[in-house]
Each structure stands twice: as C-alpha cells, then as structure tokens.
Amino acid sequence: QKEVEQDPGPLSVPEGAIVSLNCTYSNSAFQYFMWYRQYSRKGPELLMYTYSSGNKEDGRFTAQVDKSSKYISLFIRDSQPSDSATYLCAMSVSSNTGKLIFGQGTTLQVKP
Amino acid sequence: DVKVTQSSRYLVKRTGEKVFLECVQDMDHENMFWYRQDPGLGLRLIYFSYDVKMKEKGDIPEGYSVSREKKERFSLILESASTNQTSMYLCASRQDRNLAKNIQYFGAGTRLSVL
C-alpha cells in the first residue's frame, strides 16, 4: 500500500463547477500538507500549505485536512479553464526535513 | 522571484551512455532535490543535498549519483543510462531545513528518453 493515495482521474468538469480533489494517507505522523499545481510541460508550483487539521482558504481554493480520517481535500470554486492542470498532494512528517511524500497527481480539465 | 533552471527540457540518449542533468537555483537556497516523475507513480525522490558537498539518498537512488560542488548547482548523473530511466526529472530547491515551512520550488523538468 502506498503511503499517499490520490485518484489519478482524469477529471473533466464544466466551467463554473465546484471541484473536489482528494488524497488519503496511511502515516499518522504526517503533519504538514501541501497541494501543488502542475501545468503541462511545467514543474509543480505550490498552491496551498496547511499544518495539522482544519481548513485554509485562498481565493477560490480551500484546503481541508482531516487527520482523524487521514484524508485531505482541495476544493476549487467557480472553476476556470485556466485551472486545467495536474494537482499533486504532498505531505511530510516534519517541517525541517526535506522529504515530501507525493500522491500520484489528479489531472483536471475544466471545459469552457 | 524564485527560479530553478534545468539545463535541458528534452534529452535523448543511448543505453549505456553517461548522462548529466544540471540544475541551477538563483535564490541562495541551502537544500536541493532530484525527483523523477512517472505516470501513476507521482514524484519519487532520488537524491537530495542539504548543503554544498553533502548528499543523501532518497527513495530510489539506484543507478544514479549526484554532485554538489557549488551551492547553486546540483547535478544528477546517470552512470550508464538504461531504458527504465526514461522519465521526467524534476529538480527542486528549498531555502533551509531549519525554517518552519518545508516549501520546495521546482524547475520545469527534463524529459529524458533512453533508447
């Protein structure tokens, strides 16, 4: 079993839809949770960063962490074609070690 | 603005060749990382370096080595390329492991094909 599981999709939604992207994990020691966005032929860029459980909102994006269920989510409201990308969840046990564990990535397409 | 530059976007090499992938960051970051990205497997850590001349194995170091002679440059070396090393290679850097946020910044990637 992989430490971090992410549905690879692809996920296709109409413009304006609410998108939910999810990851589950098995290591209860994870405390730091991130979402990266990767456009085609580009490297990943950090989208959201959260510590421990709870919600964090940034514009149309909301990151949610439920440590009791070992489940994290990224919600995108009013999705736009420019949101079409691969979304990678990542997590780490400690803030000061280099090791991030990534999910497989979910490919999202938002159709105009 | 944060910038991580990988010297080649696309490379085609023959089996058995020695391959060098170069990565340069201009942010004075202490830590640098090499990953490979494969469909269905996500990003997997090959090697990382906390400082100049330091290196540590990641999860899949077999068949690879690295070099960090200068702070800004981190090279990934395939000693004898094999077809199973065909992949997208991503370099990343991070300011310092002692800072609170474990944020890594990525380059655009090098897509390597080994024939």
Side-chain angles (χ1 to χ4, degrees), chain A residues 10-109:
Chain A
L11 185 62
S12 182
V13 302
E15 183 175 355
I18 296 174
V19 177
S20 172
L21 304 169
N22 310 295
C23 288
T24 58
Y25 61 94
S26 57
N27 187 350
S28 57
F30 286 139
Q31 296 189 78
Y32 298 86
F33 304 91
M34 285 139 272
W35 286 95
Y36 280 81
R37 178 176 61 196
Q38 185 177 21
Y39 290 115
S40 181
R41 290 184 289 277
K42 300 277 189 179
E45 57 178 343
L46 183 69
L47 191 59
M48 299 286 281
Y49 182 100
T50 53
Y51 168 69
S52 196
S53 285
N55 291 359
K56 183 175 182 179
E57 190 173 320
D58 184 2
R60 296 184 294 108
F61 298 89
T62 300
Q64 194 174 79
V65 175
D66 182 349
K67 290 189 71 179
S68 62
S69 301
K70 298 194 186 73
Y71 190 89
I72 69 170
S73 299
L74 177 71
F75 298 97
I76 307 174
R77 290 185 300 281
D78 187 25
S79 55
Q80 302 295 308
S82 58
D83 295 327
S84 298
T86 296
Y87 291 81
L88 297 146
C89 64
M91 46 198 81
S92 68
V93 170
S94 169
S95 67
N96 62 356
T97 64
K99 200 163 180 181
L100 288 180
I101 308 299
F102 285 86
Q104 298 94 314
T106 300
T107 299
L108 170 68
Q109 183 181 28

Side-chain angles (χ1 to χ4, degrees), chain B residues 26-92:
Chain B
D26 65 358
M27 300 158 289
D28 201 35
H29 282 182
E30 300 285 336
N31 311 154
M32 296 187 75
F33 308 84
W34 274 107
Y35 295 86
R36 61 178 285 175
Q37 184 176 27
D38 300 287
L41 297 177
L43 274 72
R44 293 180 291 166
L45 183 63
I46 304 171
Y47 265 97
F48 60 104
S49 168
Y50 282 139
D51 204 344
V52 177
K53 303 230 186 253
M54 293 175 65
K55 60 183 179 184
E56 295 197 36
K57 294 180 180 179
D59 297 318
I60 50 164
E62 297 78 20
Y64 303 94
S65 62
V66 290
S67 172
R68 192 153 180 219
E69 295 297 316
K70 293 185 178 181
K71 190 176 186 180
E72 67 272 18
R73 187 180 297 271
F74 192 34
S75 302
L76 180 70
I77 303 155
L78 287 66
E79 296 289 342
S80 177
S82 63
T83 54
N84 62 11
Q85 293 178 309
T86 292
S87 186
M88 168 72 93
Y89 289 87
L90 290 162
C91 174

Side-chain angles (χ1 to χ4, degrees), chain B residues 99-112:
Chain B
L99 293 180
K101 280 195 172 182
N102 186 1
I103 297 175
Q104 296 184 21
Y105 299 89
F106 285 84
T110 296
R111 188 167 293 280
L112 173 67

